[in-house]
Amino acid sequence: MSRILPPRLLVSVFAASLLAGCAEMSQMFDSTPERNHPRTRVRDVSRDEPRQSREARENSAGRDQAALRDGIRLYNEGDFNGAIKRLGSDDIRSNSPARIRVTALKYTAFSYCVTSRPKQCEQAFERALKIDPDFTLDSGEEGHPLWGPAYERAKRG
């Protein structure tokens, strides 16, 4: 024989089980939230500063390198104006490593020369030489008919 519980009894059992769970949760509500909630713990921010600064530098360096790779990729794909824009973006800042800035300026100069802007090409080489006075073109880049003369003028000063 199957017995069906009367609806009132079923509701009472259900309510009792809900209230029993609430009674166990009351301990959580009686104490201060700082002790129970993991996200409200107080941290010593001064202890985190060196790590945060290191992370900021690593993220900055990562953005610099990504911008340089993107700019060179655009140059290699023939999007010279896109390369100029990407290589001159805020991702490559004055606090970027000199090697990254000089390489960005070299490809910027190449892009200007290829798009018939010899004055801007020469200026980009001049900026690269100011950052690194020992900056030279690779052997395959020296003597190029478009940027070779601009590089030589920039080098002479």
Side-chain angles (χ1 to χ4, degrees):
M1 281 174 63
S2 73
R3 293 181 62 190
I4 298 177
L5 294 175
R8 283 188 190 169
L9 182 61
L10 185 61
V11 169
S12 298
V13 169
F14 182 70
S17 65
L18 282 176
L19 290 174
C22 290
E24 291 176 14
M25 292 178 62
S26 69
Q27 294 172 358
M28 184 174 79
F29 293 116
D30 289 341
S31 62
T32 59
E34 291 84 22
R35 292 184 191 151
N36 290 331
H37 200 282
R39 285 183 257 168
T40 59
R41 280 188 238 140
V42 178
R43 292 186 317 188
D44 182 7
V45 178
S46 63
R47 194 178 62 193
D48 290 342
E49 280 182 31
R51 183 176 55 86
Q52 289 173 347
S53 298
R54 184 177 64 247
E55 287 174 358
R57 283 192 305 271
E58 288 171 0
N59 288 340
S60 176
R63 282 194 306 269
D64 296 347
Q65 291 172 354
L68 182 63
R69 278 192 310 269
D70 288 346
I72 293 171
R73 179 186 50 79
L74 290 167
Y75 172 82
N76 288 331
E77 291 174 355
D79 183 1
F80 304 114
N81 290 323
I84 292 167
K85 185 175 180 178
R86 185 64 176 133
L87 293 168
S89 70
D90 287 341
D91 290 333
I92 301 176
R93 295 181 266 301
S94 60
N95 61 349
S96 298
R99 177 186 53 81
I100 289 177
R101 288 182 289 147
V102 168
T103 304
L105 286 166
K106 177 176 92 168
Y107 279 93
T108 300
F110 291 172
S111 296
Y112 279 131
C113 285
V114 170
T115 56
S116 302
R117 295 181 269 182
K119 188 63 181 166
Q120 290 95 332
C121 175
E122 186 177 332
Q123 290 169 345
F125 281 133
E126 287 171 355
R127 289 194 311 264
L129 286 163
K130 282 182 185 175
I131 295 169
D132 180 8
D134 297 327
F135 164 66
T136 59
L137 297 176
D138 295 337
S139 60
E141 298 165 344
E142 283 182 6
H144 190 277
L146 293 176
W147 56 72
Y151 172 74
E152 289 301 323
R153 285 191 303 273
K155 198 169 181 179
R156 284 192 300 264

